[in-house]
Amino acid sequence: MKHPLSHRIRPLNTHRKHVGLSLLLLKEAHSTNSLLLDDHELLSQKGLVVLADRQTAGRGRKNRTWESGSNRHLFASAVLHPVLPQRLFPAITLLAGLSVFRALSALDIEGLSIKWPNDVLIQGKKVCGILCESKKVGNTLFMVLGIGLNIEGDASQFSCDLRDKVTTIHHETGKAVSRDILLDQILSELDMLITNAYDGKTASLFAEWERCSSSLGRKVRFEHEGMVMQGSISGLASSGTLLVKRDNAEVTEVLSGEIIYL
Ligand code: BTN
Protein backbone atom coordinates (compact mmCIF):
# COMPACT_ATOMS: atom_id res chain seq x y z
CA MET A 1 0.00 0.00 0.00
CA LYS A 2 1.24 3.51 -0.80
CA HIS A 3 2.24 5.74 2.06
CA PRO A 4 -0.57 8.25 2.73
CA LEU A 5 1.84 11.18 2.43
CA SER A 6 3.82 9.94 -0.59
CA HIS A 7 1.84 12.07 -3.09
CA ARG A 8 2.95 15.15 -1.17
CA ILE A 9 6.68 14.46 -1.44
CA ARG A 10 8.26 16.47 -4.22
CA PRO A 11 11.79 16.57 -5.58
CA LEU A 12 13.85 19.42 -4.18
CA ASN A 13 17.38 19.28 -5.51
CA THR A 14 18.39 15.98 -6.99
CA HIS A 15 21.99 17.14 -7.53
CA ARG A 16 22.61 16.92 -3.81
CA LYS A 17 24.33 13.78 -2.58
CA HIS A 18 23.20 13.27 1.00
CA VAL A 19 20.58 15.65 2.26
CA GLY A 20 17.71 17.74 0.90
CA LEU A 21 16.89 15.69 -2.20
CA SER A 22 13.11 15.76 -1.66
CA LEU A 23 10.63 17.70 0.46
CA LEU A 24 7.46 16.93 2.36
CA LEU A 25 5.73 20.20 3.27
CA LEU A 26 3.06 19.99 5.96
CA LYS A 27 0.78 22.65 7.44
CA GLU A 28 1.23 21.08 10.85
CA ALA A 29 3.25 18.35 12.53
CA HIS A 30 3.52 17.44 16.18
CA SER A 31 7.29 17.32 15.73
CA THR A 32 9.03 16.97 12.38
CA ASN A 33 11.78 14.92 14.09
CA SER A 34 9.28 12.51 15.67
CA LEU A 35 7.33 12.22 12.43
CA LEU A 36 10.42 10.87 10.67
CA LEU A 37 11.69 8.75 13.55
CA ASP A 38 8.30 7.05 14.01
CA ASP A 39 7.73 6.27 10.35
CA HIS A 40 10.11 3.77 8.85
CA GLU A 41 8.91 4.41 5.31
CA LEU A 42 9.62 8.13 5.50
CA LEU A 43 12.86 7.48 7.35
CA SER A 44 14.01 5.25 4.50
CA GLN A 45 13.65 7.95 1.85
CA LYS A 46 17.15 9.08 1.04
CA GLY A 47 17.63 12.81 1.54
CA LEU A 48 14.02 13.55 2.56
CA VAL A 49 13.30 16.78 4.43
CA VAL A 50 10.07 17.42 6.31
CA LEU A 51 9.12 21.07 6.69
CA ALA A 52 6.13 22.11 8.81
CA ASP A 53 4.44 25.53 9.01
CA ARG A 54 3.87 24.86 12.68
CA GLN A 55 4.54 22.21 15.28
CA THR A 56 2.23 21.26 18.13
CA ALA A 57 4.82 19.37 20.19
CA GLY A 58 8.21 20.60 19.03
CA ARG A 59 11.10 19.06 20.93
CA GLY A 60 14.45 20.53 21.91
CA ARG A 61 17.62 19.04 23.37
CA LYS A 62 17.58 17.64 26.90
CA ASN A 63 13.83 16.85 26.71
CA ARG A 64 12.94 20.50 26.49
CA THR A 65 10.04 21.73 24.42
CA TRP A 66 10.65 23.92 21.38
CA GLU A 67 8.45 26.94 20.80
CA SER A 68 6.14 26.50 17.82
CA GLY A 69 4.32 29.09 15.80
CA SER A 70 2.46 29.60 12.60
CA ASN A 71 4.41 30.44 9.44
CA ARG A 72 6.81 32.51 11.45
CA HIS A 73 9.78 30.23 11.80
CA LEU A 74 11.55 27.33 10.22
CA PHE A 75 10.75 23.88 11.59
CA ALA A 76 12.42 21.21 9.50
CA SER A 77 13.99 17.78 9.84
CA ALA A 78 16.31 16.08 7.41
CA VAL A 79 16.98 12.38 7.22
CA LEU A 80 20.50 11.20 6.61
CA HIS A 81 20.50 7.81 5.00
CA PRO A 82 21.69 5.20 4.38
CA VAL A 83 24.51 3.66 6.38
CA LEU A 84 26.17 6.79 7.55
CA PRO A 85 29.50 5.84 9.13
CA GLN A 86 29.02 6.16 12.86
CA ARG A 87 32.44 7.77 13.26
CA LEU A 88 31.02 10.81 11.45
CA PHE A 89 28.10 11.33 13.81
CA PRO A 90 29.81 13.85 16.15
CA ALA A 91 31.17 15.69 13.11
CA ILE A 92 27.75 15.90 11.47
CA THR A 93 26.23 17.33 14.63
CA LEU A 94 28.77 20.16 14.44
CA LEU A 95 28.47 20.58 10.67
CA ALA A 96 24.70 21.06 10.99
CA GLY A 97 25.39 24.21 13.05
CA LEU A 98 28.05 25.31 10.60
CA SER A 99 25.62 24.98 7.68
CA VAL A 100 23.17 27.37 9.40
CA PHE A 101 26.05 29.72 10.27
CA ARG A 102 27.17 29.81 6.63
CA ALA A 103 23.63 30.39 5.31
CA LEU A 104 23.06 33.26 7.78
CA SER A 105 26.48 34.77 7.02
CA ALA A 106 25.31 35.26 3.45
CA LEU A 107 22.65 37.64 4.86
CA ASP A 108 25.41 39.83 6.33
CA ILE A 109 24.20 39.32 9.87
CA GLU A 110 26.56 40.85 12.41
CA GLY A 111 27.50 39.11 15.65
CA LEU A 112 26.91 35.56 14.44
CA SER A 113 28.52 32.71 16.36
CA ILE A 114 28.10 29.01 17.06
CA LYS A 115 27.80 27.76 20.61
CA TRP A 116 28.89 24.17 21.09
CA PRO A 117 27.63 21.86 19.86
CA ASN A 118 25.39 23.54 17.30
CA ASP A 119 23.34 26.45 18.62
CA VAL A 120 23.61 29.48 16.38
CA LEU A 121 23.60 32.83 18.16
CA ILE A 122 23.22 36.44 17.04
CA GLN A 123 24.82 38.93 19.44
CA GLY A 124 24.95 36.12 22.03
CA LYS A 125 21.24 35.21 21.74
CA LYS A 126 20.01 31.92 20.34
CA VAL A 127 18.40 32.12 16.92
CA CYS A 128 18.70 28.45 15.93
CA GLY A 129 18.72 25.12 17.72
CA ILE A 130 19.44 21.71 16.24
CA LEU A 131 18.28 18.34 17.54
CA CYS A 132 20.23 15.35 16.17
CA GLU A 133 18.66 11.99 16.86
CA SER A 134 19.33 8.51 15.53
CA LYS A 135 17.37 5.32 15.20
CA LYS A 136 18.47 1.81 14.36
CA VAL A 137 16.17 -0.14 12.08
CA GLY A 138 17.56 -3.63 11.41
CA ASN A 139 21.23 -3.05 10.81
CA THR A 140 20.84 0.46 9.52
CA LEU A 141 21.39 3.49 11.66
CA PHE A 142 19.39 6.51 10.51
CA MET A 143 20.12 10.02 11.64
CA VAL A 144 17.57 12.81 11.78
CA LEU A 145 18.68 16.44 12.00
CA GLY A 146 15.96 18.78 13.24
CA ILE A 147 16.47 22.49 12.69
CA GLY A 148 14.48 25.19 14.47
CA LEU A 149 15.27 28.70 13.25
CA ASN A 150 13.50 31.81 14.56
CA ILE A 151 12.69 34.08 11.64
CA GLU A 152 9.92 36.57 12.35
CA GLY A 153 8.75 38.75 15.23
CA ASP A 154 10.79 39.36 18.35
CA ALA A 155 11.51 37.68 21.66
CA SER A 156 8.12 38.68 23.15
CA GLN A 157 6.53 35.69 21.41
CA PHE A 158 8.62 33.30 23.53
CA SER A 159 7.97 32.25 27.11
CA CYS A 160 9.18 34.65 29.85
CA ASP A 161 12.14 32.47 30.87
CA LEU A 162 13.51 32.54 27.30
CA ARG A 163 12.98 36.17 26.39
CA ASP A 164 16.43 37.47 27.24
CA LYS A 165 18.15 34.40 25.76
CA VAL A 166 16.59 34.10 22.29
CA THR A 167 16.12 36.27 19.25
CA THR A 168 14.84 36.22 15.66
CA ILE A 169 16.43 37.13 12.35
CA HIS A 170 13.91 39.90 11.77
CA HIS A 171 14.50 41.45 15.18
CA GLU A 172 18.28 41.49 14.71
CA THR A 173 18.43 42.62 11.10
CA GLY A 174 15.11 44.25 10.23
CA LYS A 175 15.15 42.01 7.16
CA ALA A 176 12.24 39.88 5.97
CA VAL A 177 13.84 36.64 4.85
CA SER A 178 12.17 33.79 3.05
CA ARG A 179 11.96 30.61 5.10
CA ASP A 180 12.06 28.44 2.00
CA ILE A 181 15.08 30.14 0.44
CA LEU A 182 16.91 29.97 3.75
CA LEU A 183 16.12 26.27 4.13
CA ASP A 184 17.39 25.64 0.62
CA GLN A 185 20.66 27.44 1.40
CA ILE A 186 21.11 25.55 4.66
CA LEU A 187 20.54 22.22 2.90
CA SER A 188 23.01 23.07 0.13
CA GLU A 189 25.64 24.04 2.69
CA LEU A 190 24.96 20.93 4.75
CA ASP A 191 25.16 18.66 1.72
CA MET A 192 28.52 20.21 0.78
CA LEU A 193 29.85 19.94 4.33
CA ILE A 194 28.80 16.29 4.66
CA THR A 195 30.38 15.50 1.29
CA ASN A 196 33.62 17.08 2.53
CA ALA A 197 33.42 15.12 5.78
CA TYR A 198 33.00 11.87 3.84
CA ASP A 199 36.07 12.87 1.83
CA GLY A 200 38.12 13.06 5.02
CA LYS A 201 38.28 16.85 5.33
CA THR A 202 36.99 17.09 8.89
CA ALA A 203 40.19 18.78 10.19
CA SER A 204 39.68 21.87 8.01
CA LEU A 205 35.93 21.88 8.71
CA PHE A 206 36.60 21.78 12.45
CA ALA A 207 39.07 24.65 12.06
CA GLU A 208 36.29 26.64 10.35
CA TRP A 209 33.88 25.66 13.14
CA GLU A 210 36.40 26.92 15.73
CA ARG A 211 36.67 30.28 13.96
CA CYS A 212 32.89 30.61 13.70
CA SER A 213 32.29 29.63 17.30
CA SER A 214 34.29 32.60 18.61
CA SER A 215 34.62 30.59 21.81
CA LEU A 216 38.29 29.58 22.00
CA GLY A 217 39.64 30.64 25.39
CA ARG A 218 36.15 31.34 26.70
CA LYS A 219 35.44 30.39 30.32
CA VAL A 220 32.66 27.84 30.67
CA ARG A 221 30.86 25.67 33.18
CA PHE A 222 29.96 22.14 32.05
CA GLU A 223 28.95 18.75 33.34
CA HIS A 224 31.28 15.78 33.08
CA GLU A 225 30.71 12.31 34.55
CA GLY A 226 28.04 13.71 36.86
CA MET A 227 30.21 16.56 38.15
CA VAL A 228 29.98 20.26 37.41
CA MET A 229 33.34 21.66 36.29
CA GLN A 230 34.82 24.90 35.03
CA GLY A 231 37.50 25.66 32.51
CA SER A 232 38.24 27.43 29.25
CA ILE A 233 37.58 26.11 25.75
CA SER A 234 40.73 24.99 23.91
CA GLY A 235 39.04 23.75 20.72
CA LEU A 236 37.79 20.58 19.11
CA ALA A 237 39.46 17.16 19.26
CA SER A 238 39.93 15.29 15.96
CA SER A 239 36.75 13.33 16.73
CA GLY A 240 34.70 16.50 17.19
CA THR A 241 34.41 16.46 20.97
CA LEU A 242 34.98 19.74 22.81
CA LEU A 243 38.26 20.18 24.65
CA VAL A 244 38.07 22.21 27.82
CA LYS A 245 41.18 23.13 29.81
CA ARG A 246 40.28 22.96 33.46
CA ASP A 247 41.54 25.37 36.10
CA ASN A 248 44.01 22.66 37.23
CA ALA A 249 45.39 22.56 33.61
CA GLU A 250 43.93 19.10 32.86
CA VAL A 251 42.12 18.88 29.53
CA THR A 252 38.65 17.27 29.59
CA GLU A 253 36.83 16.02 26.48
CA VAL A 254 33.18 17.04 26.64
CA LEU A 255 31.07 14.60 24.64
CA SER A 256 27.56 15.84 25.18
CA GLY A 257 25.43 18.04 27.38
CA GLU A 258 25.53 21.76 27.59
CA ILE A 259 28.15 24.36 28.25
CA ILE A 260 27.37 27.61 30.00
CA TYR A 261 29.43 30.65 29.14
CA LEU A 262 30.70 32.40 32.28
C1 BTN B 1 17.53 22.76 20.83
O1 BTN B 1 17.08 22.43 21.94
O2 BTN B 1 18.31 23.69 20.72
C2 BTN B 1 17.13 21.99 19.60
C3 BTN B 1 15.84 22.49 19.02
C4 BTN B 1 15.42 21.76 17.76
C5 BTN B 1 14.05 22.19 17.28
C6 BTN B 1 13.71 21.59 15.95
S1 BTN B 1 12.26 22.31 15.23
C7 BTN B 1 12.23 21.06 14.01
C8 BTN B 1 12.61 19.76 14.70
N1 BTN B 1 11.44 19.12 15.26
C9 BTN B 1 11.48 19.09 16.60
O3 BTN B 1 10.61 18.61 17.33
N2 BTN B 1 12.62 19.65 17.03
C10 BTN B 1 13.46 20.09 15.93
Side-chain angles (χ1 to χ4, degrees):
M1 204 176 71
K2 265 183 115 185
H3 191 282
L5 291 173
S6 61
H7 67 286
R8 299 182 59 176
I9 298 175
R10 60 173 177 84
L12 197 56
N13 182 336
T14 45
H15 298 299
R16 291 183 184 136
K17 282 192 178 154
H18 303 285
V19 68
L21 283 78
S22 58
L23 180 79
L24 170 61
L25 172 61
L26 299 173
K27 286 218 168 309
E28 184 176 290
H30 49 307
S31 150
T32 51
N33 262 40
S34 305
L35 185 87
L36 282 172
L37 290 165
D38 295 344
D39 189 320
H40 183 214
E41 239 179 279
L42 292 180
L43 198 59
S44 311
Q45 300 236 5
K46 183 178 173 179
L48 176 67
V49 174
V50 178
L51 172 66
D53 290 342
R54 64 186 299 269
Q55 295 187 117
T56 52
R59 296 187 293 108
R61 295 174 64 222
K62 299 203 139 219
N63 290 325
R64 295 192 189 112
T65 55
W66 185 255
E67 297 277 334
S68 300
S70 195
N71 292 319
R72 311 194 99 212
H73 306 305
L74 187 155
F75 308 110
S77 299
V79 54
L80 288 177
H81 160 85
V83 204
L84 195 71
Q86 219 167 326
R87 65 180 167 81
L88 286 181
F89 273 34
I92 283 162
T93 301
L94 299 172
L95 299 183
L98 190 55
S99 69
V100 175
F101 182 98
R102 282 185 177 184
L104 294 185
S105 299
L107 297 172
D108 281 333
I109 298 180
E110 271 179 49
L112 267 183
S113 62
I114 308 177
K115 180 171 180 248
W116 188 85
N118 50 25
D119 286 351
V120 179
L121 315 181
I122 304 179
Q123 307 292 1
K125 293 186 174 183
K126 181 160 165 170
V127 73
C128 176
I130 295 171
L131 179 65
C132 301
E133 297 180 293
S134 56
K135 182 168 184 179
K136 198 163 188 185
V137 182
N139 286 326
T140 308
L141 199 55
F142 295 89
M143 191 174 186
V144 171
L145 286 179
I147 303 174
L149 179 59
N150 305 332
I151 297 182
E152 287 187 30
D154 60 26
S156 63
Q157 67 196 286
F158 299 99
S159 58
C160 295
D161 55 320
L162 290 177
R163 279 182 202 161
D164 58 341
K165 301 189 185 93
V166 300
T167 195
T168 68
I169 296 177
H170 187 256
H171 182 70
E172 296 298 329
T173 65
K175 288 182 189 168
V177 299
S178 150
R179 174 195 69 173
D180 296 1
I181 293 176
L182 206 46
L183 176 63
D184 202 55
Q185 282 162 344
I186 293 169
L187 294 171
S188 289
E189 293 293 353
L190 187 58
D191 192 59
M192 237 180 317
L193 288 166
I194 293 174
T195 304
N196 288 339
Y198 267 98
D199 293 345
K201 296 183 184 147
T202 45
S204 67
L205 299 177
F206 287 172
E208 181 182 346
W209 186 98
E210 286 178 347
R211 285 192 303 278
C212 299
S213 82
S214 335
S215 65
L216 295 200
R218 210 150 164 182
K219 291 246 175 236
V220 288
R221 187 164 50 235
F222 62 100
E223 228 179 274
H224 181 67
E225 295 174 349
M227 280 185 292
V228 178
M229 298 178 176
Q230 267 182 223
S232 59
I233 296 179
S234 348
L236 295 174
S238 58
S239 61
T241 53
L242 187 74
L243 299 172
V244 182
K245 191 169 180 186
R246 305 235 312 275
D247 297 341
N248 64 6
E250 265 177 41
V251 175
T252 301
E253 279 196 43
V254 187
L255 299 166
S256 60
E258 206 160 58
I259 54 165
I260 295 166
Y261 287 148
L262 297 175

